[in-house]
Amino acid sequence: MSEVLLELESVTVNFGGLTAVHRLDMNIESGSIRALIGPNGAGKTTVFNVVTGIFRPTSGSIRFRGREITRLNPYDIAAAGIARTFQNIRLFKNASVLDNVKVGRHSRGKSNVLGALIRHPGFKAEERDTTEASLAALELVGLSRKKDELAKNLSYGEQRRLEIARGLVSEPALLLLDEPAAGMNPQEKQSLLQLIKRIQEQGITIFLVEHDMKFVMTLSQKITVLDYGREICTGTPAEVQADPRVIEAYLGKEVG
């Protein structure tokens, strides 16, 4: 059996009188592609936010590689090996493509401000490593030729891939993708699908939120469906498509 990489146990998130996520249990196996789907407001991005430390769960626990991370800060979770992209693209638009990726490497850095000021040999070696790793990430996502372009000059699909490169450069074991195909045309989606498969082949586990059901069903090995913050189904794409609760709550006529 595959190793369980991420474990959510009875995770609940309340905002005042609103329960965004209710007692969610989930195990994500190492090397897999796992999708989280559901209607708007189902709690999907909230799950991503508690996994990455942006929100603290009201109750329950989250373990990564067997280590409790429920109360860690976002930068500690990133350093532990979890990276993410966001539903709304978050780039430094007036910085170069390469510099945008380098930012994602800082969680691996050891140098301090003094080392940077005096240009300590360790700092210089770390900078070389950051550049090399950033160029490798850009090569993987197909943007190495545009490393000197300003991020704002990239197409929408390229900006999405740039965000993924910034996540990859931190060398995560788990990459969370929040609606990566949103706004893409069919050709861009096909290119993204192939990219995610290449990332999986690098040994990185993928946790995906996405509304495009064809994209999700093609890519994912297992899918969890949320409705009003509650899990209503977990299974293979075929099992999810056939589940009456999922059809009623979300898929409807999409599954024919």
Side-chain angles (χ1 to χ4, degrees):
M1 294 181 64
S2 298
E3 171 197 5
V4 174
L5 186 67
L6 182 73
E7 303 171 77
L8 279 68
E9 183 177 347
S10 296
V11 169
T12 296
V13 184
N14 294 329
F15 299 110
L18 172 68
T19 300
V21 178
H22 181 74
R23 298 186 62 83
L24 178 64
D25 293 316
M26 183 184 299
N27 290 341
I28 297 180
E29 296 178 343
S30 180
S32 66
I33 298 179
R34 179 68 166 268
L36 184 64
I37 67 171
N40 288 329
K44 305 181 297 297
T45 296
T46 300
V47 172
F48 271 26
N49 286 338
V50 295
V51 169
T52 54
I54 294 174
F55 296 157
R56 297 278 174 88
T58 307
S59 61
S61 67
I62 303 169
R63 290 182 294 277
F64 179 64
R65 290 172 161 167
R67 175 191 177 191
E68 181 80 30
I69 63 168
T70 312
R71 303 295 169 185
L72 293 185
N73 291 312
Y75 52 83
D76 292 319
I77 292 173
I82 298 178
R84 72 170 293 179
T85 65
F86 290 86
Q87 185 175 347
N88 299 313
I89 295 174
R90 299 186 182 184
L91 298 173
F92 298 100
K93 297 294 183 72
N94 290 310
S96 72
V97 166
L98 180 58
D99 284 344
N100 266 276
V101 178
K102 284 183 174 181
V103 169
R105 188 71 172 179
H106 287 171
S107 65
R108 290 279 172 261
K110 305 297 182 185
S111 296
N112 55 27
V113 174
L114 179 60
L117 288 173
I118 67 175
R119 307 295 294 178
H120 187 275
F123 172 78
K124 292 180 180 179
E126 199 169 276
E127 283 293 291
R128 287 194 298 272
D129 170 76
T130 295
T131 299
E132 290 172 3
S134 299
L135 290 172
L138 286 173
E139 180 70 29
L140 181 60
V141 303
L143 290 175
S144 57
R145 293 183 180 180
K146 298 196 174 186
K147 63 183 176 65
D148 297 320
E149 290 267 4
L150 295 182
K152 68 181 180 182
N153 293 334
L154 298 183
S155 70
Y156 181 83
E158 288 171 338
Q159 289 186 20
R160 284 283 184 190
R161 297 210 307 274
L162 177 55
E163 266 209 322
I164 292 173
R166 187 170 61 189
L168 291 172
V169 79
S170 66
E171 299 181 6
L174 176 65
L175 179 62
L176 280 62
L177 302 176
D178 195 350
E179 297 195 29
M184 288 188 173
N185 62 41
Q187 183 177 356
E188 289 172 330
K189 287 181 181 180
Q190 183 60 31
S191 175
L192 176 64
L193 190 147
Q194 296 304 320
L195 170 59
I196 293 173
K197 288 181 177 179
R198 290 198 302 273
I199 293 170
Q200 183 193 26
E201 290 168 0
Q202 301 282 323
I204 298 171
T205 304
I206 306 294
F207 188 18
L208 172 77
V209 164
E210 180 55 56
H211 279 293
D212 186 317
M213 285 302 97
K214 182 178 180 181
F215 189 90
V216 168
M217 298 299 174
T218 300
L219 193 60
S220 309
Q221 278 107 39
K222 188 178 286 187
I223 300 168
T224 293
V225 187
L226 293 184
D227 190 30
Y228 295 106
R230 298 172 182 265
E231 176 194 349
I232 60 173
C233 178
T234 292
T236 65
E239 289 168 342
V240 167
Q241 285 180 319
D243 191 296
R245 296 166 299 174
V246 179
I247 295 171
E248 179 181 357
Y250 184 45
L251 295 181
K253 296 180 180 179
E254 287 190 47
V255 297

